[in-house]
Every structure is written in C-alpha cells, then in structure tokens.
Amino acid sequence: MVSKPHGGRLVDRVARGRRRELLLDEAKELPRLEVGFDRAVDLEDIAHGVYSPLEGFMVQEDYLHVLYDMRLSTDHPWTIPIVLDADPEELGDVREGDDLALTHRGRVLAVMRVEEIYGWDKREYARMVYKTTDPKHPGVAKIYGMKELLVGGPIDLVDELPNPLERYTLWPAETRVLFRERGWRRIVGFQTRNVPHLGHEYVQKAALTFVDGLFINPLVGWKKPGDYRDEVILAAYEALVKHYYPRNVVVLAALRMNMRYAGPREAIHHAIVRKNFGCTHFIVGRDHAGVGDYYGPYEAWEIFQEFPDLGITPLFIREAFYCRKCGGMVNEKVCPHGDEHRVRISGTKLREMLRRGEKPPKTMMRPEVAEAVMSFDNPFVEA
Amino acid sequence: MDERKGKYTTVSIPVTLYNRIKKLIEGTGFTSVSQYVTYVLREIVAAHEEARYEEPFTQEDKERILERLRRLGYL
Ligand SMILES: [Zn+2]
C-alpha cells in the first residue's frame, strides 16, 4: 500500500480560487519580508506537503526538539530544522500574532501567521545538525550566513516560483494518486543529483526486484558550477528508462528542494520526504548526502537504527562496480574477485570524459545515456 | 544544556516486566529500560497510527490530479 504521509496528514497549504484572491488582497496591506531563493523553495515544499506534517516554518519548541532529539514536538522523527531567518530591522514592528507577506524578488509568494520570533545559536545548530562547526563545510557556511532571528508559523502559498521543469514536477498528492492508479503497493524512492551511470542502475534494479515501482526523484534547482544542468539529468534518465527499464515500473519526477549536505541527518530527511510522496522504501547510499570527510561512510545507514517509527523502510545497497571476471555489475557482497578485475565507476571521471566530448566505456555508462548528455551544447552549469 | 533536552515523564510498568526487560537488554545497544521501552513503543504506536490513515483527497482533487497526470504523460 502507498505509504502514509509522515505524521499522519498530507499537508496542503496552497491557497486556491477565492481563498487565494482574499489572501492576495490581504497581502497588499501587510508588512513584507523578502526571502531568498532557498527559503522560497522551502515555502513551496511546505505548501505542497513535501515536508508533511510541517505547515510552516518551525517555532522554537520544534526547532529545539529537532536539534537535540531529532524529533518534532509531536514526537515524530525529524532531523533537519526548517526555519525562516530575518534581521530585526527587516521585521520592524512585526509582532507575534501578526500576518506577514513573504516576497521573493518583490512578488508575494506566501502569507505567514507569525507565531513566534526567536533567537538562535548558529554554532550550536552546526554542531548538532552537521556534527562540525567548521565554516568550510558548505552546509555550515550557509547557516553562518543566515540572519539573526528565526520566525516561526504556518504559511499559505499564494504564488509559485517560475519553474522551468514544470512538466517534470510532481507533488506528493500527485504521486500518491499516480502510484495507486498504477496499482503499485510497494514503491522504492531514489534520490539523486547526477546523471545515471551503471552503478546507479544496478542499485535501482536491485531494489526494484523486490517492489512494484521505482520513483526516481532528482533534486533540482540550485546547482553549483560544474554540476550537470537539471535538464541534462532528466534527459539522461529518460534515455535510461526508455532503453533499459520495462514499461510502467518507473516514475521520473524532479523535486526542487534545498540540499543541506548534512550526511546522516539528511538521509533521514530524504527518506521522510519520499515517504510523503508515497514511497514505502528508500535507497540510502553509502555516504548519503555527505560532503568531504565529515561523516563516516556508513553513518548514513547507522542512524536509521534510531528510528523504529520512521514509516519507510531504508534499503542499504552497496556501491556497484563492473567485474571482468564476474562479467557484469556486482558489489562487494557478491563478488569475490580482486581489485585488478574490477572497474570502479567514478562520477568525477565520467564528468571529465563527457566534458572532453569522449564517450565513456559501456562498463560505466549506457551509450544512450551518454548520447543524451552529449546532445546538449553544454551539459554543465557555467561558472 | 539539560533543560534544552527532551522532557520526560513517568509511566508505571510492573516490576516483573521491568526486570525482564533489564535482563533482555544486557549486552545490547540499549543502555536503560526506559530507552528500550521508548524504542519499542514508538515502533508500535507508529504502526497503530498508520492503520488509521485515509487519504484526504476529495473527488474533485482527484480529478484535477488525474487530469494533470494525463496531460504530462504519466498516465
Ligand atoms: Zn567478480
């Protein structure tokens, strides 16, 4: 059966029709807070139920529970604080209980009921969530760059950000209906930010063997120079699915969501998000959402032991490689041969080859996938 | 530090059960009976909550969603 939303309730804070008009009208009179792209993306994700049961940005009680207990104040597992930051001068005389219009590039995106304004300790946040206070950690650096106060309270979304990938975007309510229509009972979610190579395909297919459907859900929208462009990732996956997966076992949809590089905590977060999309299972990679060497290679697996009530089953599938002796894709668990027989697939190496216009060997990437990538003039995000 | 940590309350269980659990968790990763009881309860409570869930969509919501899924080629 399609998984239950986290916390038992699929959140929908998207204002529609008459209610939307009323809110837009009200917003004209309200104090405004301009938010950056990251917070605007959070707004969309909250409103569309990606972060169910959250109905807005966290108030202090939830924030502290998440920081120290990895749970919401309702006791449901939650590992990443979802918070809105502001400077005192931006808030002016906004008080708790007031409504606030949240704008992005001057356009009203949402109306927020301000429940609480509170201070926070960024170093403590970094220490608890990232297990390091090192400003060289990209997640920590982002936190240190945030403003001095946090504003908590429920939101209503009145407008969406422009979405160049609209036709690839599905929200939880939609995938839940879709999975049911397809008759899937067990669905495995796959998180990615990359063009698929043979290792990814192996991991997905290993999982797919035991379930009805695979939900491939690339994170998009916030790339750094050198990353594959979003449309390249989607085109590459379309090629892979078309040529190497049976019909009707895959749903490919993009998700615009902030990447936080919080390693183990983020692995839990990614699982909860896919549970809201209706997944019953979730593939957790080695060093999932990690960066540098801040987290041990299996920490993202071990942390799942602390959550008997997560409501989605993690699948820990080992990294795959090609073994010449076995004559196929294998992993540590099933191949007895030495390193001299193994072809390790390196994402970095593949990127370099594709950048030079070189087609990677078939033991690393499907030719159709490579062709899809190379059909773009520049598949990479420019500096 | 301590007052920021999770708040706790007391639940009574029979002493016999307490001792039984204490024995059971010896040499495991659980460091106290309370920790074990919390773990087990969360597992069971989550399962009970799941059994109660129903999708909140109205027929209209569902039609709207199906229409979009068809338009995008997902159905
Ligand atoms: Zn082998």
Side-chain angles (χ1 to χ4, degrees), chain A residues 233-254:
Chain A
I233 294 173
L234 286 156
Y237 262 108
E238 276 192 327
L240 179 68
V241 171
K242 183 175 166 205
H243 294 282
Y244 295 95
Y245 285 79
R247 276 177 66 82
N248 291 327
V249 300
V250 178
V251 167
L252 169 65

Side-chain angles (χ1 to χ4, degrees), chain A residues 321 323-327 330 334-337 341-342:
Chain A
F321 45 83
C323 172
R324 291 195 193 89
K325 266 223 144 138
C326 292
V330 290
V334 296
C335 160
H337 305 117
H341 304 289
R342 296 172 173 182

